[in-house]
Amino acid sequence: MAQQAETFKKLVSHCKEYGFIYQSSEIYDSLAAVYDYGPYGVLLKNNIKEYWWKSMVQMHENIVGIDAAIFMHPTTWKASGHVDAFNDPLIDNKDSKRRYRVDHLIEEHCEKIEAKIQKEVEKAKKKFGDAFDEAQFRATNPRVLERQAEIDKVMYRLARVMEAGDLNGMKAMIDELDIKDPETGSANWTEPRQFNLMFSTQLGNIAGEEGKLYLRPETAQGIFVNFLNVQKTTRQKIPFGIAQIGKAFRNEIVARQFIFRMREFEQMEMQFFVQPGKEMEWYEYWKAKRLKWHLALGHPATKLRFHDHDNLAHYANAAADIEFEFPFGFKELEGIHSRTDFDLTEHQKYSGKKMQYFDPELNENYVPYVVETSIGCDRMFLATMSHALVDEIVPDAEGKDSERTVLKLHPALAPIKCAVLPLLKNKEELTSKARTIFDNLKFAFNTQYDDKDAIGRRYRRQDAIGTPYCVTVDFETLEDNTVTIRERDSLVQERIPIDKIEQIVRERVEMKNLLQ
Ligand code: ATP
């Protein structure tokens, strides 16, 4: 646990030190749960978005993109259920004055039981050595079974009280499970209450409730209200999808864990419109497809898992999360939801406009069903960074062990693809040659020129921001037009002609490699 906390702390400070992420309004002591992306952060984030967009829109003839406005007619949020039901149950501790989400407190209680199970497993592993069969141990050890049954019971009960919005039931659970304030240990709780997560603002020319607008809490509704516009203007036939990347806003009560839970964040969502009755088929299809998207980045399968929902949102008939093992444990990274015809039917009801599709094959009108894939770009950023950031021992120029921090990003995601480094700063013939190489390469991809400090330090700087290739210009370059190209992960250095640099780097960093 302490080790995980240390890893996470290191990740957060790396993000700041190397210009990936800063706290918002830092000079004013920051704004909680709001972050700014720095020079390398924005490049990495754009690459993540490009990977998602291309794999959705470019790779599917039947998926098109839109970019809807953040502000929407306020009735949208009545229809979608967000005004009445987009709530989190919160509870205050009277002694510490801290506020928590009831469901999170109960989940953390279960995580503690899970940690005890894990301890038993570790103990047995040590005792039995190679012969140890974890699955069998978990299925037969009485103490583990007892604890697992306790977790299942609590989680089942939590799902029921959450589904029913039963605040008394939630309080009863907090009391019966003897849950205390994680910071102070106090059990002096208020009654829980529901808290709406939408931010609101006011139109300039209309006073009062009439002029109340919301900052969208999800991008999906911009897709639903445009369903017919898009279908008619692109003449798509069902099944087809609409994809969108954009900002969403939620007034999260407990906003911590860095960019995992933010108040302003970015979503990459795709709504796939299908014939009623076919949604389960497509739900399974998108679950598999999305998992593959993550695996293509080189994230190990052991760091990703599905979690099927017991506690379904008001609009869904099936839902699963793709969870990623962040430094603070397995948490939701992406949601795949079968949203039925709930949203389109609601918009039809509230707007009085038909949201139907005429299916030429069936020769009938219907309101399509929807399967959505929804991933937070910032969470994907965090997952990517936490997997890529590695401390390792490598041989230095003299072959001695030296420690380096390296960001092993997939080359297609790396902010800078290639760095051009003259061996010495104060030799004009080297710097001007390096400048010429840089000036040519910058047409092809993000390239950086760096002549400050010793070469070893410059390599380390590029390692820390994940640059897959460094090109060094030395005296030999002046004689034969060759350079040394160094590969980030293997540290292999090769001598290549200058006119080969672009091709070599391009082949490795192309988005095509990921899409294939
Ligand atoms: P959680 O249970 O963690 O609050 P959620 O189930 O409410 O998430 P969805 O409404 O399904 O999330 O949103 C889809 C995706 O948007 C999530 O999988 C996540 O990646 C991202 N997301 C949601 N809320 C936030 C947030 N506050 N900060 C950053 N990303 C978020």
Side-chain angles (χ1 to χ4, degrees), residues 42-70:
V42 66
L43 293 172
L44 171 57
K45 196 178 180 206
N46 284 343
N47 291 339
I48 291 174
K49 289 197 265 189
E50 187 187 340
Y51 173 40
W52 184 87
W53 185 266
K54 288 194 162 165
S55 61
M56 284 294 177
V57 180
Q58 185 173 312
M59 299 302 292
H60 291 92
E61 278 178 69
N62 62 345
I63 298 181
V64 292
I66 64 164
D67 181 17
I70 286 170

Side-chain angles (χ1 to χ4, degrees), residues 250 252 260-262 265 267 332-333 337 374 376 379:
R250 296 183 187 178
E252 299 280 1
F260 180 81
R261 191 171 298 287
M262 302 154 91
F265 57 102
Q267 287 186 314
E332 171 177 346
L333 169 58
H337 310 126
S374 172
R379 272 191 204 177

Side-chain angles (χ1 to χ4, degrees), residues 461-473:
R461 246 186 339 248
Q462 295 299 332
D463 285 345
I465 60 167
T467 306
Y469 288 102
C470 288
V471 158
T472 306
V473 175

Side-chain angles (χ1 to χ4, degrees), residues 349-399:
K349 199 162 90 193
Y350 277 83
S351 67
K353 310 264 169 27
K354 282 239 173 306
M355 298 299 259
Q356 291 188 341
Y357 167 78
F358 176 73
D359 192 323
E361 273 155 41
L362 299 179
N363 200 24
E364 67 178 64
N365 281 304
Y366 56 76
V367 177
Y369 269 46
V370 172
V371 175
E372 89 172 347
T373 73
S374 172
I375 175 167
C377 182
D378 314 270
R379 272 191 204 177
M380 187 60 204
F381 188 108
L382 184 58
T384 307
M385 285 293 282
S386 61
H387 172 61
L389 190 63
V390 175
D391 280 329
E392 62 180 15
I393 306 287
V394 290
D396 66 9
E398 285 96 48

